[in-house]
């Protein structure tokens, strides 16, 4: 890029068309329609519990994408990151989709508040809680009102953080780039603490309390690690897609793919490491109140799914993303990103679905519809809403933080 | 020079051609030109890493990552194999014959189970990989090289400062001094020079090689001899320096014995019997409490205790529990008031209205009081108690003084035994405090025998009595003796 180039002459520095805001309604609407179809088919087909779990799977999948992106944005500021400045705006767009995730959580909140059904969260059913000493003790925390308040707090924190960093970054395009960069750096520390607390407890509430008598203190980290894997996968796929359409072709180079690939590789292993840390302690101590969660997954029809996850989410992609050649080739790393995005959904499937009443992979095979179609419908529906949100957020915005003081370093980034 | 010569230190020999370039871009361009012409042994030297130099040099992809991968996989199999060998499943134990594994059943887990083995496997993979990466890096870089012929070039010293160099090695199949020199010059070199092997005229004496080979061979003999001896049957017994220490007439814990039908060397207690010294039903002696129906050591409790001796071996209340249960209840009574008495209030603990009633402490030692007992008590007191409480029992022992000097925040001063709160205590309670401890003071029943604890209790009461003693209390003879000493 020569020094005399102006914004209008360099196609690389162009803003997304404002008309995209209207285009975004397409996928978003289609997503909502798919979710409604899933609800009608699930609840109408008598599979109430299965539908709610599948719905939670869909919305927590896209929430994980946003949370992972938010983590990356904050961590990038916190570490004074340079190399990823070219993709920071894209991560900010993903993080800013969090209000849409919150909107998709509203039916769950309504379901908890308005019914006493234990179809999704067993602690919401007073007849289950009554007589169970452990649940009675937990009922102060796991009560519908408090649960919804906490949910509002989590999304409040996420929205605040995402809006702040996105807003400052966009404002940076027009004024005070240096001052804003410094301010975002200074605020990223407290932001990270807020983020960590919110994510930890959100994971406890949304996913761990599906089995209300079970507990694992590492569960928040487990969910977080999976979220970052999902985010990095989505980011690599998005870069592939954008560059295929001639966007950001000059700014994002093989070196950026290389670093993103390293991050994917690292977090694949980190999430496996955390999953094993959780598993081994429980396996070794073999206390029934802890092993119950694994007992469902390790015996009976779910055991094959556990093996599938061990190889599909950890061992195979670990070897697959190890090579430098793979990481520097955007098609090859794109393949593994797609693989890991599917496996991220499978990971959440493994966390959520065994808790649903009457859902067993083995039984599903005997079902007239042999695939987990309801779950796939919910995930695809939620993902379409997420993509719509992404496009809507992008409308009229530059896809690069064009005046960020660290952008030149990122443009010249070379992996040595 | 196309023909390779045998190294000969009597004749100078060209090792390669060195060329200097003005900058990083020029160096990359020159490297590309040279390799395009078919030179393979080209090396570049620059003060900092240069992007694109690897591609320009057409350096072959480094072998090290594959070596590290191999090392990591080796670590994987070594770790799994080692753990499999160390505690293999019983059905495979005889595979190892004489070198049998340790079959320890831990926590009810299978002898060989992957979840338990993963941490060790993980660590060993990392250990092997990182060590191989480090030492492999050294080996592939031919380090440590004590001297490099390039260092003889005055110009080359700038390679760590602002000089950019290309070096074509004479080992290159295409190498010839003239053509290499012109190729480097044509690529824009500022200066070109040949690097010569120094002609020293000295060669290593052949004897050195023989000495080295012989000592290496000799060093192999002991391990070979050990390996041979280890696999060969021998009629002579193993040599033992301390035979009676190596072989003792005893069973170690958790071992097998053919002597008993159940194969266990450790014996369960025989129903209806009590081990020597295990009968501790005298509550006066062992707890300092008068036996009555309310407290530990009462008739009902003692009967329950005796019944437990008759229990079958597998029944839960096993041997050794007798003193523990009795003590636990005595401590339980103590602990309520202990918790109420925080360190600050150590001297006068407040009376807790909810505290359980004090047990019926004995007021006299459960044994005849003699002068020998009093002397023994004084001696034991000075050994065990005086370090904190002071010889006079005023709580001014050397440890207490030192702790006050250091102003230790967690230090609780030892009690002065002459405070009213202690002087009012019956001897049974003092005995109980010595046995089981109180507040920060530990119990001494493991260190001090029961008779000695009574002797110390007696001496403590003597110390207390001494503080309020009048002249009339002292026997006339002793009084006169003391007066004379004055």
């Amino acid at each position: 890029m020569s020094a005399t180039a102006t914004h209008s002459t360099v196609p690389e520095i162009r803003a997304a068309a404002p008309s995209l805001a209207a285009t975004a309604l397409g996928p978003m609407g289609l997503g909502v329609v798919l979710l409604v179809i899933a609800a009608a088919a699930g609840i109408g087909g008598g599979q109430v519990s299965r539908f709610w779990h599948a719905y939670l799977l869909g919305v927590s999948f896209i929430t994980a994408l946003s949370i992972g992106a938010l983590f990356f944005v904050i961590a990038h500021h916190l570490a004074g990151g340079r190399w990823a400045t070219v993709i920071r705006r894209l991560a900010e767009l993903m993080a800013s989709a969090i209000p849409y995730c919150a909107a998709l959580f509203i039916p769950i909140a309504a379901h908890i508040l308005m019914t006493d059904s234990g179809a999704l969260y067993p602690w919401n059913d007073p007849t289950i809680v009554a007589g169970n000493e452990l649940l009675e003790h937990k009922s102060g925390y796991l009560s519908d009102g408090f649960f919804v308040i906490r949910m509002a707090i989590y999304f409040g924190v996420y929205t605040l953080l995402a809006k702040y960093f996105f807003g400052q970054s966009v404002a940076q395009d027009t004024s005070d780039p240096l001052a804003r960069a410094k301010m975002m750096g200074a605020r990223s520390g407290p932001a990270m603490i807020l983020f960590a607390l919110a994510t930890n407890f959100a994971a406890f509430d949304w996913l761990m309390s599906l089995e209300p008598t079970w507990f694992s203190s590492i569960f928040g980290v487990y969910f977080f690690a999976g979220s970052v894997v999902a985010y990095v996968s989505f980011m690599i796929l998005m870069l592939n897609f954008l560059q295929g359409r001639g966007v950001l072709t000059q700014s994002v180079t093989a070196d950026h793919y290389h670093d993103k690939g390293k991050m994917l590789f690292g977090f694949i292993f980190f999430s496996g490491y955390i999953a094993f840390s959780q598993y081994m302690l429980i396996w070794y101590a073999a206390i029934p109140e802890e092993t119950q969660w694994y007992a469902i997954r390790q015996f009976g029809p779910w055991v094959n799914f556990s093996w599938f996850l061990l190889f599909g989410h950890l061992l195979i992609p670990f070897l697959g993303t190890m090579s430098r050649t793979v990481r520097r080739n955007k098609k090859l790393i794109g393949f593994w990103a797609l693989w890991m995005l599917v496996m991220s959904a499978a990971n959440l499937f493994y966390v959520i679905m065994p808790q649903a009443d009457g859902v067993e992979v083995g039984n599903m095979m005997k079902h007239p519809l042999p695939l987990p179609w309801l779950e796939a419908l919910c995930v695809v529906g939620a993902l379409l809403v997420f993509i719509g949100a992404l496009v809507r957020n992008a409308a009229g915005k530059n896809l690069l933080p064009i005046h960020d003081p660290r952008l030149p370093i990122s443009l010249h980034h070379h992996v040595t | 020079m196309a023909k390779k010569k045998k190294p000969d230190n009597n004749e100078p020999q060209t090792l390669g051609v060195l060329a200097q370039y003005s900058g990083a871009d020029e160096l990359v361009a020159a490297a590309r030109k040279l390799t395009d012409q078919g030179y393979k042994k080209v090396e570049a030297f620059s003060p900092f890493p240069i992007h694109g130099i690897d591609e320009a040099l057409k350096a072959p992809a480094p072998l090290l990552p594959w070596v590290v991968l191999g090392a990591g996989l080796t670590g994987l199999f070594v770790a799994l194999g080692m753990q499999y060998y160390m505690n293999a499943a019983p059905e495979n134990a005889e595979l190892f014959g004489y070198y049998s594994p340790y079959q320890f059943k831990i926590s009810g887990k299978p002898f060989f189970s992957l979840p338990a083995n993963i941490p060790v496997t993980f660590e060993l993979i990392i250990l092997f990989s990182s060590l191989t990466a480090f030492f492999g890096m050294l080996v592939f870089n031919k380090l440590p090289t004590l001297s490099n012929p390039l260092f003889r070039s005055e110009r080359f010293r700038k390679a760590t400062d602002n000089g950019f160099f290309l070096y074509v090695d004479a080992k290159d199949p295409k190498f010839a001094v003239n053509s290499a020199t012109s190729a480097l010059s044509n690529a824009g070199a500022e200066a070109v020079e040949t690097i010569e092997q120094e002609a020293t005229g000295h060669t290593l004496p052949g004897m050195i090689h023989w000495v080295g080979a012989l000592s290496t061979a000799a060093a192999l003999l002991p391990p070979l001899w050990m390996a041979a001896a280890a696999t060969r049957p021998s009629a002579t017994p193993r040599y033992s320096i301390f035979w009676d220490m190596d072989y003792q007439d005893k069973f170690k814990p958790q071992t097998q014995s053919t002597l008993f039908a159940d194969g266990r060397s450790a014996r369960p207690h025989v129903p209806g019997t009590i081990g020597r010294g295990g009968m501790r039903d005298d509550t006066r002696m062992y707890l300092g409490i008068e036996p009555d129906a309310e407290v530990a050591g009462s008739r009902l409790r003692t009967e329950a205790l005796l019944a437990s001796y008759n229990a079958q071996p597998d029944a839960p209340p096993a041997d050794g529990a007798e003193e523990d249960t009795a003590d636990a209840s005595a401590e339980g009574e103590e602990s309520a008031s202990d918790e109420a008495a925080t360190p600050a209030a150590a001297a006068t603990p407040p009376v807790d209205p909810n505290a359980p009633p004090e047990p019926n402490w004995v007021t006299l030692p459960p044994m005849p009081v003699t002068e020998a007992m009093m002397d023994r008590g004084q001696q034991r007191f000075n050994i065990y108690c005086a370090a904190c409480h002071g010889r006079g029992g005023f709580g001014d022992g050397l440890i207490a003084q030192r702790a006050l000097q250091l102003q230790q925040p967690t230090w609780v001063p030892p009690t002065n035994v002459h405070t009213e709160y202690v002087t009012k205590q019956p001897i049974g309670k003092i005995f109980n405090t010595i046995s089981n401890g109180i507040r920060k003071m530990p119990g001494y029943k493991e260190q001090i025998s029961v008779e000695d604890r009574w002797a110390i209790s007696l001496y403590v009461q003597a110390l207390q009595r001494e503080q309020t003693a009048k002249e009339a209390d002292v026997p006339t003879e002793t009084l006169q003796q003391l007066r004379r000493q004055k």
Side-chain angles (χ1 to χ4, degrees), chain A residues 269 273 276 279-280 283-286 319 322 324 412 414-416, chain B residues 49 51 55 69 106-107 109-110 113-116 118-119 122-123:
Chain A
F269 198 73
Y273 187 94
F276 179 72
Y279 176 76
M280 193 188 70
W283 173 83
Y284 215 100
L319 293 173
M322 196 185 252
R324 173 188 168 95
H412 281 102
H414 279 288
V415 180
T416 46
Chain B
H51 290 300
E55 291 76 12
L69 178 67
I106 296 168
S107 206
K109 299 291 188 272
S113 51
L114 279 175
I118 281 178
F122 179 72
E123 298 301 336

Coordinates of all heavy atoms in Angstrom, one line a residue, chain A residues 269 273 276 279-280 283-286 319 322 324 412 414-416, chain B residues 49 51 55 69 106-107 109-110 113-116 118-119 122-123:
Chain A
F269 N -6.4 -28.5 21.9 CA -5.7 -29.3 22.9 C -6.1 -28.8 24.3 O -6.3 -29.6 25.2 CB -4.2 -29.2 22.7 CG -3.6 -30.3 23.5 CD1 -3.6 -31.6 23.0 CD2 -2.9 -30.1 24.7 CE1 -3.1 -32.7 23.7 CE2 -2.4 -31.2 25.4 CZ -2.5 -32.4 24.9
Y273 N -7.6 -31.0 27.2 CA -6.9 -31.0 28.4 C -7.9 -30.8 29.6 O -7.9 -31.5 30.6 CB -5.8 -29.9 28.4 CG -4.9 -29.9 29.6 CD1 -3.7 -30.6 29.5 CD2 -5.1 -29.2 30.7 CE1 -2.8 -30.6 30.5 CE2 -4.2 -29.2 31.8 CZ -3.1 -29.9 31.7 OH -2.2 -29.9 32.7
F276 N -10.4 -33.6 30.0 CA -9.7 -34.7 30.7 C -9.5 -34.4 32.1 O -9.7 -35.3 33.0 CB -8.4 -35.1 30.0 CG -7.8 -36.3 30.7 CD1 -8.3 -37.5 30.6 CD2 -6.6 -36.1 31.5 CE1 -7.7 -38.6 31.2 CE2 -6.1 -37.2 32.1 CZ -6.6 -38.4 32.0
Y279 N -12.6 -35.1 33.7 CA -13.0 -36.5 33.7 C -12.1 -37.3 34.7 O -12.7 -38.1 35.5 CB -12.8 -37.1 32.3 CG -13.0 -38.5 32.3 CD1 -14.3 -39.0 32.3 CD2 -12.0 -39.4 32.2 CE1 -14.6 -40.4 32.2 CE2 -12.2 -40.8 32.2 CZ -13.5 -41.3 32.2 OH -13.7 -42.6 32.2
M280 N -10.8 -37.0 34.7 CA -10.0 -37.9 35.5 C -10.2 -37.8 37.0 O -10.3 -38.8 37.7 CB -8.5 -37.6 35.2 CG -7.6 -38.7 35.8 SD -5.9 -38.5 35.8 CE -5.8 -37.2 37.0
W283 N -13.4 -39.6 37.7 CA -13.2 -41.1 37.5 C -12.4 -41.7 38.6 O -12.7 -42.7 39.1 CB -12.4 -41.3 36.2 CG -12.0 -42.7 35.9 CD1 -12.7 -43.7 35.4 CD2 -10.7 -43.2 36.2 NE1 -12.0 -44.8 35.3 CE2 -10.7 -44.6 35.8 CE3 -9.5 -42.7 36.7 CZ2 -9.7 -45.5 35.9 CZ3 -8.4 -43.6 36.9 CH2 -8.5 -44.9 36.5
Y284 N -11.4 -40.9 39.1 CA -10.5 -41.5 40.1 C -11.2 -41.6 41.5 O -11.1 -42.5 42.2 CB -9.2 -40.7 40.2 CG -8.1 -41.6 40.6 CD1 -7.2 -42.0 39.6 CD2 -7.9 -42.1 41.8 CE1 -6.2 -42.8 39.8 CE2 -6.9 -42.9 42.1 CZ -6.0 -43.3 41.1 OH -5.0 -44.2 41.4
A285 N -11.9 -40.5 41.8 CA -12.6 -40.5 43.1 C -13.8 -41.4 43.1 O -14.1 -42.0 44.1 CB -13.1 -39.0 43.4
A286 N -14.5 -41.5 41.9 CA -15.6 -42.5 41.8 C -16.6 -42.3 42.9 O -17.0 -43.2 43.6 CB -15.1 -43.9 41.8
L319 N -3.9 -33.8 15.3 CA -2.8 -34.2 14.3 C -3.1 -33.4 13.0 O -2.1 -33.0 12.4 CB -2.9 -35.7 14.1 CG -2.5 -36.5 15.3 CD1 -2.8 -38.0 15.0 CD2 -1.0 -36.3 15.6
M322 N -1.7 -29.8 13.1 CA -0.3 -29.6 13.7 C 0.7 -29.1 12.6 O 1.5 -28.3 13.0 CB 0.2 -31.0 14.1 CG 1.3 -31.0 15.0 SD 1.8 -32.7 15.3 CE 1.3 -32.9 17.0
R324 N 2.6 -27.0 9.8 CA 2.7 -25.6 9.4 C 2.1 -25.5 8.0 O 1.5 -24.5 7.7 CB 4.2 -25.3 9.4 CG 4.6 -24.0 8.8 CD 6.2 -23.9 8.7 NE 6.6 -22.8 7.9 CZ 6.9 -21.6 8.4 NH1 6.9 -21.4 9.7 NH2 7.3 -20.6 7.6
H412 N 1.9 -6.0 8.1 CA 3.3 -6.5 7.8 C 3.6 -7.8 8.6 O 4.8 -8.1 8.7 CB 4.3 -5.4 8.1 CG 4.4 -4.4 7.0 ND1 3.8 -3.2 7.1 CD2 4.9 -4.5 5.8 CE1 4.0 -2.5 6.0 NE2 4.7 -3.3 5.2
H414 N 4.6 -11.2 9.8 CA 5.2 -12.4 9.2 C 5.5 -13.4 10.3 O 6.0 -13.0 11.4 CB 6.5 -12.1 8.6 CG 6.3 -11.5 7.2 ND1 5.9 -12.2 6.1 CD2 6.5 -10.2 6.7 CE1 5.9 -11.5 5.1 NE2 6.2 -10.2 5.4
V415 N 5.1 -14.6 10.1 CA 5.4 -15.6 11.1 C 6.8 -16.1 10.8 O 7.1 -16.6 9.7 CB 4.4 -16.8 11.0 CG1 4.8 -17.9 12.1 CG2 3.0 -16.3 11.2
T416 N 7.7 -16.0 11.8 CA 9.1 -16.5 11.5 C 9.2 -17.9 11.9 O 8.5 -18.4 12.8 CB 10.1 -15.6 12.2 OG1 9.6 -15.5 13.6 CG2 10.3 -14.3 11.5
Chain B
P49 N 17.2 -11.9 11.7 CA 16.5 -12.8 10.8 C 15.9 -12.0 9.6 O 15.3 -10.9 9.8 CB 15.4 -13.4 11.7 CG 15.6 -12.9 13.1 CD 16.5 -11.8 13.0
H51 N 13.1 -12.1 6.5 CA 12.0 -12.8 5.9 C 12.3 -13.2 4.4 O 12.9 -12.4 3.7 CB 10.8 -12.0 5.9 CG 10.2 -11.8 7.2 ND1 9.8 -12.8 8.0 CD2 10.1 -10.7 8.0 CE1 9.4 -12.4 9.2 NE2 9.6 -11.1 9.2
E55 N 13.4 -19.3 1.7 CA 12.9 -19.6 0.4 C 14.0 -19.3 -0.6 O 14.3 -20.1 -1.6 CB 11.7 -18.8 0.0 CG 10.4 -19.2 0.8 CD 10.4 -18.6 2.2 OE1 11.3 -17.8 2.5 OE2 9.6 -19.1 3.0
L69 N 8.5 -35.2 16.3 CA 7.3 -36.0 16.3 C 7.6 -37.5 16.7 O 6.9 -38.1 17.5 CB 6.7 -36.0 14.9 CG 5.4 -36.8 14.7 CD1 4.3 -36.2 15.6 CD2 5.0 -36.9 13.3
I106 N -5.1 -50.2 43.4 CA -5.2 -48.9 44.0 C -6.6 -48.4 43.8 O -7.0 -48.3 42.6 CB -4.2 -48.0 43.5 CG1 -2.8 -48.4 43.9 CG2 -4.4 -46.6 44.0 CD1 -1.7 -47.7 43.2
S107 N -7.3 -48.1 44.9 CA -8.6 -47.5 44.8 C -9.6 -48.3 43.9 O -10.5 -47.7 43.3 CB -8.4 -46.1 44.1 OG -9.4 -45.2 44.5
K109 N -9.3 -49.6 41.2 CA -9.2 -49.4 39.7 C -8.5 -50.6 39.1 O -7.8 -51.4 39.7 CB -8.4 -48.2 39.4 CG -9.0 -46.9 40.0 CD -10.2 -46.5 39.3 CE -10.8 -45.2 39.7 NZ -11.6 -45.2 40.9
P110 N -8.8 -50.8 37.8 CA -8.1 -52.0 37.1 C -6.6 -51.8 37.2 O -6.1 -50.6 37.3 CB -8.6 -51.9 35.7 CG -9.8 -51.0 35.7 CD -9.7 -50.1 36.9
S113 N -5.3 -49.1 33.4 CA -6.5 -48.3 32.9 C -6.0 -47.0 32.3 O -5.2 -46.3 33.0 CB -7.5 -48.1 34.0 OG -6.8 -47.6 35.1
L114 N -6.4 -46.7 31.1 CA -5.9 -45.5 30.4 C -6.1 -44.2 31.2 O -5.1 -43.4 31.2 CB -6.5 -45.5 29.0 CG -5.8 -46.4 28.0 CD1 -6.5 -46.3 26.7 CD2 -4.3 -45.9 27.8
P115 N -7.2 -43.9 31.8 CA -7.3 -42.6 32.4 C -6.2 -42.3 33.4 O -5.7 -41.2 33.5 CB -8.7 -42.7 33.0 CG -9.5 -43.6 32.3 CD -8.5 -44.7 31.8
A116 N -5.9 -43.4 34.2 CA -4.9 -43.2 35.2 C -3.5 -43.0 34.5 O -2.6 -42.4 35.1 CB -4.8 -44.3 36.2
I118 N -2.8 -41.5 31.6 CA -2.7 -40.4 30.7 C -1.7 -39.3 31.2 O -0.9 -38.8 30.5 CB -4.0 -39.9 30.2 CG1 -4.6 -40.8 29.2 CG2 -4.0 -38.4 29.7 CD1 -5.9 -40.4 28.6
P119 N -1.9 -38.9 32.5 CA -1.0 -37.8 33.0 C 0.5 -38.2 32.8 O 1.3 -37.4 32.3 CB -1.3 -37.7 34.5 CG -2.7 -38.1 34.5 CD -2.9 -39.2 33.5
F122 N 1.3 -38.1 29.1 CA 1.4 -36.7 28.6 C 2.7 -36.1 29.0 O 3.4 -35.5 28.1 CB 0.2 -36.0 29.3 CG 0.1 -34.5 29.0 CD1 -0.3 -34.1 27.7 CD2 0.4 -33.6 29.9 CE1 -0.4 -32.8 27.4 CE2 0.3 -32.3 29.6 CZ -0.1 -31.9 28.4
E123 N 3.1 -36.3 30.2 CA 4.4 -35.7 30.7 C 5.6 -36.3 29.9 O 6.5 -35.6 29.5 CB 4.6 -35.9 32.2 CG 3.5 -35.3 33.1 CD 3.4 -33.8 32.9 OE1 4.4 -33.2 32.5 OE2 2.4 -33.2 33.2

